[in-house]
Amino acid sequence: MPQVAVERSGNVAVVTITNPPRGYMDTATVAELDAATADLERDEAVRAVVITGGVPGVFIRHYSVRELEALARQLRERGIAVDPARPLPPRDIDRVFGRLEEMPKPVIAAINGFAMGGGFELALCCDLRIAEEGPYELGLPEVRLGILPGAGGTQKLPALVGVARALELTLRGRTVAPPEARDLGLVHELVPPGRALDRAHELAAELASLPPRAVGHIKRLVRASAAAGRADGLALERTLFLDLLLSDDALERMSRMNTDDRDIRDA
């Protein structure tokens, strides 16, 4: 069953993560996002993009830890080792997230529920983040599994909240409720329950009505100002992520989480 649906309305396209397994991102999700975002990037009729979750109360809960555990076991069996001095090349997820940041069209996250780990890293790729009130959390809890945010989180979070606060959040693996996320600057607006998509669509329509060349140039310049040196940081991040993923401690923690069906925040 497809995991990603795209609906166009005028100059705005809405990408909905419709059916991720238990709300988790996995390889199939990434592949469908890759195809969908590449198509939207090429479509000159689309001037703004909204991304939201299709599972009630879930944007994307986080990346599938079952898939990460399986990958770790497979690579360990093959004797794969990581040398931090030799950064890994970009992966499919890096290409997708990079496209969202680099396309000249504004991208807005309509966060309608849990957005942790890779789900929150997806939101961080978007230019604007609208979150609705509700009993869910956002953040990067990967350290609890003995790994780290490996899809841009360590490089993008400091740009939002500063190095000191980013360290506090990532070292503790602390996730926060929507009001604190707004206060910290993790999201731009907090709206009533059920209103995230509507508000994101309103903003997307506003941006789509503006001169597209000017919007694209502004996005490019502002992104470039914040991304100086980021390429090297992202390369090191994904390298050290794999180094941790292959460790005994991470494998034990992921296995325990998956075996006991724990929440990632309690891993």
Side-chain angles (χ1 to χ4, degrees):
M1 181 179 294
Q3 293 192 33
V4 174
V6 178
E7 182 178 355
R8 291 168 171 81
S9 176
N11 292 331
V12 175
V14 177
V15 178
T16 304
I17 317 299
T18 57
N19 189 44
R22 299 181 64 187
Y24 302 140
M25 180 189 295
D26 63 10
T27 301
T29 321
V30 172
E32 292 189 38
L33 280 173
D34 189 9
T37 55
D39 181 54
L40 294 175
E41 183 180 36
R42 291 188 297 265
D43 189 342
E44 294 183 0
V46 172
R47 294 188 178 181
V49 177
V50 174
I51 300 179
T52 194
V55 176
V58 178
F59 179 69
I60 289 180
R61 191 174 297 275
H62 53 74
Y63 200 92
S64 169
V65 178
R66 294 188 183 278
E67 190 170 289
L68 291 177
E69 180 188 349
L71 174 63
R73 294 188 183 280
Q74 179 186 48
L75 294 177
R76 281 167 60 109
E77 289 174 0
R78 291 167 51 191
I80 299 295
V82 174
D83 180 358
R86 300 178 62 186
L88 299 173
R91 305 151 300 180
D92 291 346
I93 194 170
D94 302 311
R95 180 176 63 253
V96 176
F97 285 7
R99 179 182 296 124
L100 295 175
E101 292 185 298
E102 294 167 10
M103 72 166 65
K105 307 169 186 188
V107 182
I108 303 173
I111 303 173
N112 59 311
F114 279 99
M116 301 182 293
F120 186 57
E121 288 174 307
L122 172 60
L124 287 177
C125 296
C126 299
D127 303 304
L128 298 176
R129 285 167 294 282
I130 308 303
E132 60 187 53
E133 299 169 344
Y136 67 91
E137 295 181 357
L138 305 87
L140 301 170
E142 285 90 340
V143 70
R144 298 178 180 275
L145 291 175
I147 58 176
L148 53 77
T154 67
Q155 304 302 294
K156 297 168 188 175
L157 187 60
L160 286 182
V161 300
V163 171
R165 181 61 71 187
L167 282 170
E168 185 265 333
L169 290 170
T170 53
L171 288 176
R172 296 176 62 196
R174 189 163 75 86
T175 55
V176 300
E180 186 175 0
R182 176 198 55 198
D183 294 345
L184 290 173
L186 300 178
V187 299
H188 294 85
E189 292 185 23
L190 188 61
V191 297
R195 280 280 299 157
L197 180 56
D198 290 342
R199 177 56 178 152
H201 203 286
E202 290 173 2
L203 288 171
E206 174 190 331
L207 293 170
S209 72
L210 298 171
R213 187 176 179 85
V215 169
H217 283 355
I218 290 170
K219 174 173 173 174
R220 178 180 178 182
L221 289 166
V222 174
R223 284 285 191 183
S225 72
R230 179 176 288 179
D232 290 342
L234 289 172
L236 182 59
E237 180 195 75
R238 60 179 170 263
T239 304
L240 296 180
F241 171 81
L242 184 57
D243 183 53
L244 288 174
L245 187 69
L246 296 175
S247 69
D248 291 339
D249 182 55
L251 193 56
E252 179 183 341
R253 288 170 180 268
M254 289 189 294
S255 180
R256 185 167 62 239
M257 173 183 166
N258 291 328
T259 299
D260 298 342
D261 202 23
R262 298 185 183 187
D263 188 285
I264 192 171
R265 294 165 294 174
D266 300 322

